[in-house]
Amino acid sequence: MKAPLSWLKDYVDIDISAQELAEKLFSCGFEVEELVYLGEKISRVVVGEVKALTAHPDSDHMKICVVDCGEEYGREIQIVTGADNVYVGMKTPCALDNSTVVESDPKALEKNPDGIKKIKKGKLRGVESFGMLCSGEELGINDDYYDGAEYYGLLDLDKSAPVGEDIRKIVGLDDWIFDISITANRPDCQCILGIAREVAAVLGKPLKEPSYAFTAKKTNALPVAVEVQAPDLCPRYVGHYVENIKGGKSPAWLRKRLALSGIRSISPIVDITNFVLLEMGQPMHAFDADDLAGRKIVVRRAKQGEKITTLDEKEFELTPENLVICDGEKPVALAGIMGGLNSEIKETTKNVFFESAKFARDNVRKTSRALGQSSDSSSRFEKGVDAYTNGYGMARALHLIEELDCGVVTELCEDVCAVDLAPRTMTASVQKINALLGIEVPSEEMLAILSRLNFKPSLTGDTLTVEIPGYRDDVDNYPDLAEEIIRMYGYEHLTPTFLEKASVTGGGLNDEQKKELHLKTLLKTQGFFEAYNYSFYSPKEFDLMKLPEDASERNAVKILNPISEELSVMRTFLAPSMLGNAVRNIRRGNDEGREFEIANIYIPNQAGEQPEERKRLVLGIWGAKCDFFDMKGATEKISELFHLPVSYVRAQTSYLHPGVSASLNVDGKQVGVIGELDPAIALSLGLDKKVYLGELDLEEIKGAMDDKIAYKNLPKFPAVKRDLALIADEKLTSGEIEDVLLHSCKYVTSARLFDVYRGGQLPEGKKSMAYTLTFTPDANVEKAFTPETLDGFVKKILGNLKFKLGVELR
């Protein structure tokens, strides 16, 4: 919300600086995001009077001026100008030596993006010039700031302008603009008057309300009937008929107010509607009454397929979700958004029907988003416009009609209201308010604050009774009153204290967060980059990943209002998202890569219940040089970090290569899968690089994860290695054999496969697998392992292999 200081002063006697006012607004809950001085680019520019003119000896169009800039700056300053409208006695802006003005040359702006042009004395075709006479463009103003500012020549100032006066005070640039952040619960402050109310309260000054007075005249015109068929979407509709409209130009003060807010003047009627929007926060619209078929206004839901062309000449096809303003035949406006082209105010308009209404904020927002059409009015309605302001906004507009003498206000008016406009009253306990604030605010101070905020309070014992202003829809209960009191009383009065059930905590990350951080760090050291994907994808992903029809992953949470069909179901597993990342990278020339993502999957529960969320880790590796063991190595590093007893078992996963994939098991339970992408899926995606995927259920392994570092004494004697060549059935995996090797003797700390042989020397269906076993004595062993001791260990290991797996020594 932008609020000019000069405009706020129309309603409140502000006797402090703009900076002090910004601090006071912040102290009562209104953050001033930016405070801008309008004339910040202008310096050492004053009112000068041309006293004499002579022709330039070396130019046909230039003139040498003698300019009076006052006692302080000089009575006879020589300035050369090429302006065609300069004359003796002219008062015009004079930029002195070492002054600054607004840069308007596009080429110069490329070098000076700050938009400031410096003026220094110099010579123009051999004649010295000690400054520059200025146009409105060099001051950055237009006709709405000062009449004649848009003329291509010098700005001709009024003869009453004092010589030597700072030009910013003359043309209205000596002003501050407050850019104020308005919270969602205070739509009443989306206007100058709303901010002025707060300024008056915080300064303890009276508020000077604008005038709402007008005189309604009798007329022979036929009335315009108003019918509201959708009171749920339009609780109040106020209309008033004004005749004998006059065109022309709005007065300077009105054009200036609009200009300060970034709005150009158009015509008195349109300017009044814009002014009331800015001043009162009430969006208004004016229809050409002679274009309203049947002299009728109907507020209703649009019919399916009904069309309207708005003022910006865009045509829209409507649905019953859209609210429209119609005449007796057709839509003439999109309610709360924009008027129709078929009823716009024209130069020939003689009679208008003013509209001031309250429209449901959610309906305006949905219509605006659905049609891609927005306006200043729609942004106000989306945040909230109260029914109280409808009437006052209309009265203010009619007052301005009379003040500007641009029309005749008639007695023809309509006010269709489905809400109770009577002031709301509420009671609250002073004790409860103080208990909530945690301090004792004197009752007299409470009454004074609430009075300044127009709550009309009264106190009987402990009971505080207030009459809530009609524009404060946000106040419902005593905590709201407590907020109003403390923001004016001062937050500095609050004393820090714990809530009743609060306790001191150490802070920092919990164990689960620490483990997740360690996991991310480990993966990054392995060359993985962290990815973030949407929590939803297309149901087509289930078919792409070749999931069976009865797969549990197909039972997904469907989004009621999805962005698109491609993002319409919540993720039940993460692999499709990681595959999508790999595909996009490969197609864009990133031929090698590693990514990981830690995110939740969403498993549906019973109807009406929130889905179950489970955290998972997904890994993706792609490129010509990678293989299955890169993925296996990454998961092995995870198992080492968290001391997880992971075993790898052959598995069949629908989207992985049946011969190059494995299931990860912990304590006999599957916790994840890894493998190469099924070649059929890769072919369907046109991939020329291999992609490897892995997904682990972190919820399943959470209890077994241990990232604590445990220390033990070093052994007194060195480790010893033995090689074993074993004959095993072809169907046995290395993981199964390693599991027996590692658990048959407590001193075996490593079992590494270094050779696999298949040949004619072996029986059919058998293979030879050679392992290096590392025997490490612990700190309690008092002497080195002897060959005899090792033979005993090996004998026990071979016995277990024979008994459990049928594996024999080769």
Side-chain angles (χ1 to χ4, degrees), residues 522-523 617 619 628-652 656 660-675 693-696 701 731-740 742-743 751 767 769 771:
L522 171 70
L523 291 170
L617 164 69
L619 304 172
F628 171 81
F629 294 101
D630 290 307
M631 180 64 73
K632 184 172 182 286
T635 56
E636 285 178 337
K637 287 295 183 183
I638 295 172
S639 65
E640 289 177 12
L641 173 65
F642 296 107
H643 308 291
L644 291 170
V646 175
S647 60
Y648 296 83
V649 181
R650 282 197 183 101
Q652 295 293 325
L656 297 179
V660 192
S661 60
S663 166
L664 281 66
N665 291 2
V666 173
D667 297 331
K669 188 172 184 178
Q670 180 175 315
V671 297
V673 292
I674 59 172
L693 299 172
E695 186 163 343
L696 282 75
I701 62 177
K731 65 180 181 179
L732 284 176
T733 65
S734 177
E736 292 173 306
I737 296 174
E738 287 180 13
D739 186 57
V740 175
L742 291 171
H743 290 87
K767 59 184 175 182
M769 304 179 74
Y771 290 87

Side-chain angles (χ1 to χ4, degrees), residues 233 302 316-324 334-338 360-374 378 382:
L233 303 183
F316 298 99
E317 186 170 322
L318 308 176
T319 71
E321 297 296 320
N322 310 133
L323 187 68
V324 289
L334 271 174
I337 299 176
M338 191 174 290
R361 67 179 74 181
D362 56 337
N363 180 262
V364 174
R365 181 171 59 251
K366 289 176 182 177
T367 298
S368 178
R369 300 296 188 274
L371 300 180
Q373 185 77 334
S374 62
S378 67
E382 287 178 22

Side-chain angles (χ1 to χ4, degrees), residues 540-541 543-546 579 583 587 655 677-689:
K540 296 177 183 176
E541 302 288 355
D543 295 327
L544 174 66
M545 305 301 275
K546 299 171 62 176
L579 175 58
V583 171
R587 289 176 178 173
Y655 57 88
L677 180 67
D678 189 310
I681 298 177
L683 181 63
S684 69
L685 294 171
L687 297 178
D688 58 354
K689 301 289 187 297

Side-chain angles (χ1 to χ4, degrees), residues 423-426 454-455 466-473 475-476:
R424 293 184 297 138
T425 60
M426 64 172 287
N454 300 323
F455 278 88
V466 297
E467 183 180 295
I468 302 172
Y471 50 82
R472 292 301 303 272
D473 288 344
V475 177
D476 286 322

Side-chain angles (χ1 to χ4, degrees), residues 414-552:
E414 292 281 346
D415 187 349
V416 180
C417 186
V419 294
D420 185 4
L421 297 177
R424 293 184 297 138
T425 60
M426 64 172 287
T427 58
S429 165
V430 172
Q431 184 179 357
K432 277 190 173 183
I433 291 175
N434 284 328
L436 183 62
L437 297 176
I439 59 174
E440 191 78 23
V441 180
S443 299
E444 297 77 13
E445 189 66 30
M446 282 190 184
L447 293 174
I449 289 172
L450 293 172
S451 295
R452 295 203 303 270
L453 292 170
N454 300 323
F455 278 88
K456 299 180 181 177
S458 61
L459 186 63
T460 305
D462 182 57
T463 302
L464 177 66
T465 304
V466 297
E467 183 180 295
I468 302 172
Y471 50 82
R472 292 301 303 272
D473 288 344
D474 59 301
V475 177
D476 286 322
N477 46 42
Y478 83 90
D480 296 325
L481 288 180
E483 180 183 358
E484 294 299 302
I485 291 167
I486 194 59
R487 70 186 183 88
M488 288 295 171
Y489 187 57
Y491 292 106
E492 68 275 7
H493 290 95
L494 294 177
T495 54
T497 182
F498 278 117
L499 295 174
E500 185 179 344
K501 296 183 179 180
S503 61
V504 179
T505 62
L509 303 177
N510 59 34
D511 287 343
E512 185 175 343
Q513 291 169 330
K514 289 177 182 177
K515 289 177 182 177
E516 186 173 313
L517 184 60
H518 291 167
L519 176 57
K520 289 182 178 181
T521 303
L522 171 70
L523 291 170
K524 289 173 185 176
T525 61
Q526 298 296 309
F528 286 85
F529 289 88
E530 186 171 6
Y532 287 91
N533 294 293
Y534 286 125
S535 295
F536 28 79
Y537 44 45
S538 171
K540 296 177 183 176
E541 302 288 355
F542 302 141
D543 295 327
L544 174 66
M545 305 301 275
K546 299 171 62 176
L547 293 180
E549 290 299 325
D550 59 350
S552 60

Side-chain angles (χ1 to χ4, degrees), residues 224 226 237-243 245 268-274 276 284-289 292 297 345 351-357 393-394 397-398 400-401 406-409 412-414:
V224 177
V226 174
Y237 190 99
V238 180
H240 210 111
Y241 184 78
V242 177
E243 61 186 6
I245 296 300
I269 294 298
V270 176
D271 290 352
I272 285 172
T273 61
N274 287 330
V276 173
M284 296 194 67
H285 187 65
F287 299 99
D288 188 324
L292 297 177
I297 286 287
I345 302 299
N351 306 297
V352 300
F353 187 74
F354 273 106
E355 167 191 285
S356 176
M394 177 62 78
L398 298 178
L400 291 171
I401 292 285
C406 58
V408 176
V409 179
L412 300 180
C413 62
E414 292 281 346

